[in-house]
């Protein structure tokens, strides 16, 4: 049985789902000769870890209790006596995490898994890669930081996996890596990489007011608590930057042209969420509907997409043919069209659920298993 020590940073929706997947897949992984040994789980306030990280692990009962606590909105610092070790405090937790990474990195190897949404893990990740640890990411921020941080993180390419940073569990990163490593240059990528904005744009196509569609999306749980986090396009821009850097573009986030679906005067600094949804967003309906009509007269539809081609990298609304893969997109699926030498006229199309804690966590789990050959 191959044992893979694992330390999880971030125990929100994706992190909790990952732990649940690990517990529920025990028998499957045993058949495959693999055991994922969770030695620690860390949130922003505390770290829960095994008393001896070399030989022991957090048992499945403890992992289930951690998930229960976190699903109630509690911090790990509020956990009672689980028979395990707890370090409270952000600074103290980080210090202990680094101690564990240094110890296991040299002894047995460690899968350092970042399912947080924080930029605070960047400095830690830059250090653990030099300790012999493998890095698995669902967090986009480390890959969209400075080029210096990015170069450090990918300096050991065999020891990093980040499939879930773009398209949740869809095989986007793996497909691009296979094309590039086979010498098939990718010259154009266009894709709808936000389930939220994919849903919004396909719904307004049917004549529904933009404001009403956004409110319905929020009620369905498709958007962040503040829908402007989705409508700003920043999440799509981060995904576009990850793909562009994968293709060798040495650019930063501020190099990307980003179209926000609301004006600055309706931003979080100027309006509350309630004001935006109550009176602000309604004033955008006519402009969106006019753009929909203009596109329809040409036989096109509007989609919020990222485009990477040559030196061009931008995200925003584009008019696209109704009968194209992106034009046929409905609901919250992600669609990505990849054009290369081999896929010149008919692109390689990747489509499927591109959001959700379940699919994202499944992608992270698959990444962890993908690096098992690096462990003794």
């Amino acid at each position: 049985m191959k044992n893979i020590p694992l330390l999880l940073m971030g125990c929100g929706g994706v992190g909790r789902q990952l732990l649940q997947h690990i517990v529920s897949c025990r028998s499957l992984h045993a058949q495959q000769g693999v055991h994922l040994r969770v030695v620690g789980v860390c949130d922003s306030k505390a770290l829960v870890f095994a008393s001896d990280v070399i030989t022991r692990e957090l048992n499945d009962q403890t992992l289930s209790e951690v998930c229960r606590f976190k699903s109630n909105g509690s911090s790990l610092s509020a956990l009672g006596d689980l028979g395990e070790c707890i370090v409270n405090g952000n600074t103290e937790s980080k210090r202990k995490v680094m101690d564990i990474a240094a110890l296991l990195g040299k002894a047995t190897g460690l899968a350092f898994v970042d399912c947080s949404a924080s930029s605070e893990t960047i400095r830690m990740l830059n250090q653990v890669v030099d300790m012999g640890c493998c890095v698995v990411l669902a967090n986009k921020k480390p890959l969209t930081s400075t080029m210096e941080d990015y170069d450090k993180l990918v300096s050991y390419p065999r020891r990093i996996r980040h499939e879930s940073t773009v398209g949740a569990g869809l095989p986007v990163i793996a497909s691009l890596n296979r094309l590039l490593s086979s010498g098939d240059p990718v010259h154009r990528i266009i894709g709808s990489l936000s389930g939220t904005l994919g849903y919004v744009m396909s719904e307004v196509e049917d004549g529904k007011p933009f404001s009403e569609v956004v409110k319905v999306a929020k009620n369905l749980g498709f958007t962040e608590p503040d829908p402007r986090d989705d409508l700003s396009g920043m999440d799509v821009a981060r995904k576009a930057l990850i793909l562009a850097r994968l293709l060798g573009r040495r650019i930063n986030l501020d190099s990307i042209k980003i179209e926000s679906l609301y004006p600055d005067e309706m931003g979080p600094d100027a309006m509350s969420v309630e004001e935006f949804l109550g009176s602000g967003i309604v004033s955008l309906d006519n402009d969106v509907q006019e753009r929909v009509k203009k596109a329809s007269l040409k036989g096109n539809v509007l989609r919020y997409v990222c485009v990477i081609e040559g030196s061009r990298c931008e995200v925003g609304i584009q008019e696209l043919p109704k009968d194209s893969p992106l034009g046929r997109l409905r609901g919250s699926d992600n669609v990505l069209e990849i054009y290369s030498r081999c896929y010149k006229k008919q692109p390689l199309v990747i489509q499927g659920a591109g959001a959700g804690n379940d699919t994202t966590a499944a992608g992270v789990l698959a990444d962890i298993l993908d690096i098992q050959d690096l462990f003794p």
Side-chain angles (χ1 to χ4, degrees):
M1 185 72 71
K2 178 170 288 192
N3 282 276
I4 300 178
L6 185 156
L7 195 151
L8 174 63
M9 301 295 294
C11 200
V14 175
R16 290 198 308 273
Q17 193 68 58
L18 173 62
L19 294 179
Q20 290 167 10
H21 281 333
I22 289 172
V23 171
S24 65
C25 289
R26 288 297 190 199
S27 59
L28 172 64
H29 292 162
Q31 292 171 21
Q32 298 171 346
V34 179
H35 179 75
L36 300 185
R37 186 168 66 87
V38 182
V39 299
V41 179
C42 189
D43 66 9
S44 60
K45 296 181 180 176
L47 165 70
V48 180
F49 62 100
S51 55
D52 180 357
V53 294
I54 293 290
T55 61
R56 297 192 61 194
E57 64 186 300
L58 301 178
N59 62 41
D60 290 353
Q61 182 181 350
T62 298
L63 296 180
S64 297
E65 187 68 8
V66 165
C67 291
R68 186 182 69 81
F69 248 77
K70 291 299 295 182
S71 64
N72 293 332
S74 303
S75 166
L76 292 179
S77 59
L79 277 170
D81 183 14
L82 294 173
E84 306 295 346
C85 302
I86 299 179
V87 172
N88 291 316
N90 184 282
T91 302
E92 292 78 7
S93 297
K94 287 180 181 177
R95 188 178 297 122
K96 186 60 182 178
V97 164
M98 297 310 296
D99 288 344
I100 293 173
L103 179 63
L104 288 175
K106 293 178 181 177
T108 61
L110 174 69
F112 194 93
V113 183
D114 185 359
C115 288
S116 73
S118 172
S119 56
E120 291 186 8
T121 59
I122 296 172
R123 185 177 176 187
M124 302 169 74
L125 289 163
N126 285 346
Q127 294 177 57
V128 301
V129 293
D130 282 335
M131 295 174 179
C133 300
C134 295
V135 170
V136 177
L137 302 172
N139 183 6
K140 291 181 280 292
K141 291 181 180 175
L143 292 168
T144 56
S145 182
T146 65
M147 278 306 306
E148 182 182 3
D149 287 332
Y150 179 83
D151 289 340
K152 182 65 178 177
L153 201 51
V154 301
S155 58
Y156 301 95
R158 290 191 64 213
R159 300 211 306 257
I160 181 170
R161 297 291 185 278
H162 56 95
E163 189 66 76
S164 291
T165 57
V166 181
L170 294 176
V172 173
I173 304 297
S175 299
L176 279 172
N177 276 329
R178 285 176 65 87
L179 290 176
L180 295 171
S181 63
S182 69
D184 186 9
V186 174
H187 57 81
R188 174 177 164 86
I189 293 176
I190 180 168
S192 175
L193 295 176
S194 166
T196 302
L197 297 181
Y199 170 82
V200 168
M201 299 314 297
S202 63
E203 289 293 295
V204 297
E205 181 187 331
D206 295 334
K208 298 172 185 175
F210 176 67
S211 58
E212 290 303 315
V213 171
V214 171
K215 290 173 188 175
V216 169
K218 184 177 187 297
N219 292 334
L220 290 172
F222 288 172
T223 74
E224 296 294 327
D226 184 344
R228 288 171 295 189
D229 290 345
D230 298 289
L231 301 177
S232 69
M234 185 55 70
D235 185 60
V236 178
R238 289 188 187 280
K239 294 173 184 177
L241 180 57
I242 291 170
L243 296 181
R245 284 178 168 179
L246 194 63
L247 298 185
R249 314 290 195 273
R250 298 189 64 78
I251 60 174
N252 292 311
L253 203 55
D254 57 11
S255 310
I256 300 175
K257 182 182 177 183
I258 305 170
E259 179 184 1
S260 173
L261 296 187
Y262 63 86
D264 291 341
E265 54 267 28
M266 293 186 193
D269 295 335
M271 278 187 179
S272 67
V273 178
E274 293 73 25
E275 289 171 331
F276 176 70
L277 293 174
S279 59
I281 194 171
V282 177
S283 65
L284 305 176
D285 286 349
N286 289 339
D287 180 57
V288 172
Q289 202 55 50
E290 189 63 31
R291 292 179 72 174
V292 170
K293 287 179 181 176
K294 284 183 178 178
S296 181
L297 290 173
K298 305 174 194 172
N300 294 333
V301 293
L302 299 182
R303 294 290 181 262
Y304 195 96
V305 298
C306 77
V307 180
I308 304 166
E309 186 171 20
S311 61
R312 177 187 178 200
C313 185
E314 58 187 57
V315 300
I317 293 178
Q318 298 267 338
E319 283 191 27
L320 297 166
K322 275 185 180 180
D323 60 353
S324 66
L326 281 161
R328 293 191 296 268
L329 175 66
R330 304 295 299 178
S332 58
D333 272 7
N334 280 192
V335 176
L336 196 73
E337 298 178 17
I338 302 172
Y339 295 83
S340 68
R341 187 189 68 236
C342 295
Y343 296 92
K344 192 172 184 179
K345 294 182 179 179
Q346 294 297 324
L348 172 63
V349 178
I350 302 170
Q351 178 172 357
N357 295 335
D358 190 9
T359 50
T360 304
V364 174
L365 181 56
D367 272 352
I368 295 168
L369 294 170
D370 193 46
I371 56 174
Q372 62 179 281
D373 289 344
L374 299 180
F375 290 82

